[in-house]
């Protein structure tokens, strides 16, 4: 704590006590507060009014007190964002077609997406469209896998897409893998290649799944 935030030791004891009480009101235990301060000591430098204002903003967008305390509060980058930045990202996701409930879930699961530039968000959606996903599929995918938005197109997503396209039987199979889970872009490159370069994984009913994929690929080609 001293190394990360030496100025914390200049804060009056009464001020610290007041902040700890405010955090307790959110539903955090003393142990959780201690872990939060150890992880993000700069929170002690924020005024209560600033924290309260930002807290009310998240609450107004559907997050519960406990969700804000456990999933948003410990993320340093989020508290440095202006309300204007937060509001502009919310408008962007709403324009994309994300329902309010799904947007709330996205903020809980990956709050720092609100700090990504609009250019970066647009580039990911453009990439998904180029893969062949419809707008509705893109909305569903981002709602389920928001951390996809963090990953680099150049060093992560595009090289993996090349591997999938090389070994898949058709584009429909590539799209299925991309939208099915986050495993394909979150695993290490070595794990990813081991999984997909030697033939795609088969399900329990592998023969049925293979026939279904063949049917989808034939339908796509028609």
């Amino acid at each position: 704590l001293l190394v990360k935030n030496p100025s914390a030791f200049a804060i009056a004891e009464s001020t610290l006590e007041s902040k700890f009480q405010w955090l307790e009101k959110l539903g955090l235990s003393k142990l959780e507060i201690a872990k939060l301060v150890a992880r993000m000591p700069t929170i002690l430098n924020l005024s209560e009014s600033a924290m309260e204002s930002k807290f009310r903003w998240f609450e107004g967008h559907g997050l519960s007190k406990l969700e804000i305390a456990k999933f948003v509060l410990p993320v340093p980058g989020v508290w440095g964002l202006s309300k204007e930045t937060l509001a502009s990202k919310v408008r962007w996701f709403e324009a994309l077609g994300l329902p309010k409930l799904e947007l709330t879930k996205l903020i809980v699961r990956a709050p720092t997406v609100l700090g990504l530039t609009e250019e970066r968000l647009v580039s990911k959606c453009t990439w998904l469209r180029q893969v062949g996903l419809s707008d509705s599929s893109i909305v569903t995918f981002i709602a389920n896998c928001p951390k996809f938005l963090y990953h680099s197109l150049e060093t992560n997503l595009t090289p993996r897409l090349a591997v999938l396209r090389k070994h898949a039987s058709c584009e429909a199979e590539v799209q299925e893998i991309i939208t099915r889970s986050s495993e394909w872009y979150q695993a290490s490159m070595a794990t990813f290649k081991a999984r997909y370069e030697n033939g795609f994984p088969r399900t329990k009913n592998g023969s049925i799944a293979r026939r279904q994929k063949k049917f989808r690929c034939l339908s796509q080609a028609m």
Side-chain angles (χ1 to χ4, degrees):
L1 179 62
L2 179 61
V3 173
K4 290 183 178 179
N5 188 28
S7 61
F9 289 86
I11 301 173
E13 187 174 334
S14 59
T15 301
L16 291 175
E17 183 64 30
S18 175
K19 288 182 179 179
F20 291 154
Q21 288 175 355
W22 185 83
L23 291 169
E24 283 183 322
K25 287 179 183 177
L26 296 183
L28 292 177
S29 67
K30 285 182 170 58
L31 179 60
E32 287 171 329
I33 293 172
K35 289 180 178 179
L36 171 62
V37 172
R39 179 180 175 183
M40 184 187 164
T42 52
I43 196 171
L44 299 175
N45 298 334
L46 297 175
S47 68
E48 282 184 50
S49 61
M51 289 194 294
E52 185 72 23
S53 174
K54 200 67 66 70
F55 173 83
R56 295 302 172 200
W57 187 92
F58 283 108
E59 197 173 38
H61 285 80
L63 278 71
S64 68
K65 287 184 177 181
L66 201 55
E67 285 173 333
I68 297 170
K70 290 196 171 184
F71 301 109
V72 180
L73 195 59
V75 183
V78 174
W79 293 89
L81 300 174
S82 68
K83 284 186 178 180
E84 291 73 21
T85 297
L86 294 172
S88 69
K89 292 307 183 304
V90 166
R91 288 194 297 270
W92 190 90
F93 281 111
E94 288 175 341
L96 183 67
L98 208 63
K100 185 174 181 180
L101 181 59
E102 293 302 322
L103 179 55
T104 298
K105 291 178 181 178
L106 179 144
I107 294 172
V108 170
R109 296 172 67 183
T112 51
V113 299
L114 297 175
L116 296 176
T117 64
E118 188 169 321
E119 180 183 6
R120 188 167 184 176
L121 296 173
V122 169
S123 69
K124 295 301 191 307
C125 290
T126 300
W127 188 88
L128 290 170
R129 288 189 185 97
Q130 291 171 348
V131 171
L133 271 62
S134 65
D135 287 349
S136 60
S137 295
I138 291 171
V139 170
T140 301
F141 176 64
I142 289 176
N144 293 332
C145 304
K147 293 182 181 179
F148 163 84
L149 298 169
Y150 299 146
H151 291 265
S152 166
L153 291 175
E154 293 75 17
T155 62
N156 187 358
L157 304 178
T158 299
R160 292 174 192 236
L161 175 61
V163 172
L164 293 177
R165 281 178 164 165
K166 181 178 179 180
H167 297 282
S169 55
C170 63
E171 281 294 296
E173 191 170 14
V174 172
Q175 293 161 15
E176 180 183 347
I177 290 168
I178 285 176
T179 56
R180 188 170 55 202
S181 74
S182 60
E183 182 271 339
W184 70 272
Y185 64 83
Q186 287 188 325
S188 69
M189 184 58 83
T191 300
F192 169 80
K193 286 185 175 181
R195 184 172 176 81
Y196 292 104
E197 283 190 339
N198 297 317
F200 283 16
R202 296 180 64 176
T203 63
K204 264 188 175 181
N205 299 318
S207 58
I208 296 175
R210 191 171 292 279
R211 285 198 298 272
Q212 289 173 337
K213 286 179 182 177
K214 184 176 180 180
F215 174 77
R216 283 196 297 274
C217 291
L218 288 171
S219 299
Q220 187 185 58
M222 292 175 65

